[in-house]
Amino acid sequence: PRQVAAFHKGKWEKIWQCSDLLGAADSDYLLNDLRTSILSNRNENTECWWKDLITPARIRQVAMHEFKSKTSIGADWVSFREIAQAPDDALGDLSLLIHQIVWNLAWPTQVHLNLIALLGKKDGNTRCIAVACTLYRLVLALLKPIAREWDKKNARLDDSAVAGKQPLLETVKRAADLEAASINGKISISIYWDVAKFFDSINVRKLVDRAVELGFPRELLVLGLQIHRAPRVFKAMGTITDPTARTFISIMTGCTLS
């Protein structure tokens, strides 16, 4: 089993360009410079825009309702059910920890590890499912309203993947428009395109530059990419591999920020 996991690890390390150490280091330095820039402008008068989003009561609510009961858990091995059932004092301490994470833009060391599960594809290849630590996923769920507000302000009107829209319904609408055009004797053209391994081909430097240009919340960008760029270990048949090297390209699928 370990050899199987190691085989897939090597394959995906090539896709993520883990051997490009200079490129990976460049991405790390860029992220560190962004973090330093944010922290250098903070003082005792800085407004904590996240304070109302991170409370013991809201932590319990998010842990109960945002995640399914059988949701996979990450390397910290803490379930969301345990958080939802935790006593008030424990949730109070957890809220203080999360406030410190956002204020310092730094995660506890043990959060910097992502589990990678593999799903087989019809063509014989595999697809990666990343499972980040529970603490990371909880924090991002708490701060999700900030990201969704940015989505609403910056999404294209014809973007069927934006929050609040139903992709299936949008597809039906487009099909109806094409059929109506055809009935009326008009020429209709439908263009389909796909990007192979889209999330696994994203250049982090270009992503950061574009996100900053579009006004994406910089704190969320730093906190998210710190974990997206964390080492990854592959799971296969009850065993795991050694961590991968730092990736030059790619972000994790399934994350609130992705």
Side-chain angles (χ1 to χ4, degrees):
R2 190 170 178 80
Q3 290 179 334
V4 173
F7 168 80
H8 289 290
K9 172 195 171 188
K11 185 176 180 180
W12 279 96
E13 280 185 319
K14 292 180 181 178
I15 295 173
W16 297 330
Q17 300 182 23
C18 293
S19 60
D20 191 340
L21 301 181
L22 291 178
D26 177 67
S27 298
D28 287 336
Y29 285 129
L30 174 66
L31 198 58
N32 185 64
D33 289 344
L34 181 59
R35 174 179 179 268
T36 301
S37 173
I38 297 172
L39 295 180
S40 64
N41 293 319
R42 284 188 174 170
N43 53 54
E44 63 274 10
N45 297 319
T46 299
E47 180 184 3
C48 298
W49 51 262
W50 59 86
K51 63 180 181 180
D52 294 332
L53 297 174
I54 303 172
T55 64
R58 191 160 185 275
I59 290 174
R60 191 186 303 280
Q61 180 186 29
V62 168
M64 288 178 61
H65 301 295
E66 288 287 327
F67 302 94
K68 297 179 180 179
S69 59
K70 295 184 179 180
T71 292
S72 299
I73 56 177
D76 51 1
W77 207 247
V78 177
S79 71
F80 293 101
R81 182 182 294 274
E82 290 178 285
I83 296 175
Q85 295 176 344
D88 293 340
D89 289 345
L91 293 182
D93 291 341
L94 180 57
S95 68
L96 292 177
L97 171 62
I98 296 175
H99 279 288
Q100 287 297 312
I101 289 171
V102 181
W103 177 260
N104 294 304
L105 296 178
W107 297 93
T109 302
Q110 60 268 35
V111 179
H112 290 262
L113 186 66
N114 299 307
L115 300 181
I116 303 295
L118 294 171
L119 293 180
K121 300 176 68 175
K122 292 181 179 179
D123 59 3
N125 290 319
T126 55
R127 181 164 64 93
C128 289
I129 302 296
V131 183
C133 287
T134 298
L135 178 59
Y136 171 78
R137 294 159 68 190
L138 176 65
V139 172
L140 266 292
L142 291 167
L143 300 178
K144 184 166 66 175
I146 303 299
R148 292 297 171 259
E149 183 63 28
W150 181 88
D151 285 341
K152 291 179 181 179
K153 292 180 180 179
N154 292 273
R156 291 170 53 95
L157 294 177
D158 57 352
D159 187 351
S160 60
V162 71
K165 288 192 176 182
Q166 300 179 19
L168 179 59
L169 181 59
E170 297 298 321
T171 301
V172 172
K173 288 181 180 179
R174 285 195 291 267
D177 289 340
L178 290 172
E179 186 172 349
S182 178
I183 292 174
N184 291 322
K186 297 181 180 180
I187 297 175
S188 59
I189 300 175
S190 181
I191 300 175
Y192 300 93
W193 64 282
D194 187 21
V195 178
K197 295 181 172 58
F198 175 75
F199 290 98
D200 299 303
S201 61
I202 291 178
N203 183 294
V204 174
R205 171 171 281 278
K206 292 181 179 179
L207 173 63
V208 171
D209 289 343
R210 184 60 172 160
V212 172
E213 179 184 343
L214 293 174
F216 187 80
R218 296 191 302 166
E219 292 89 347
L220 290 184
L221 185 63
V222 170
L223 290 172
L225 285 178
Q226 283 178 347
I227 303 304
H228 279 253
R229 296 194 41 67
R232 306 171 182 181
V233 295
F234 282 77
K235 296 171 56 182
M237 298 187 291
T239 187
I240 62 172
T241 65
D242 296 329
T244 63
R246 305 288 281 185
T247 61
F248 173 43
I249 60 175
S250 100
I251 61 175
M252 298 187 301
T253 60
C255 174
T256 298
L257 300 182
S258 298

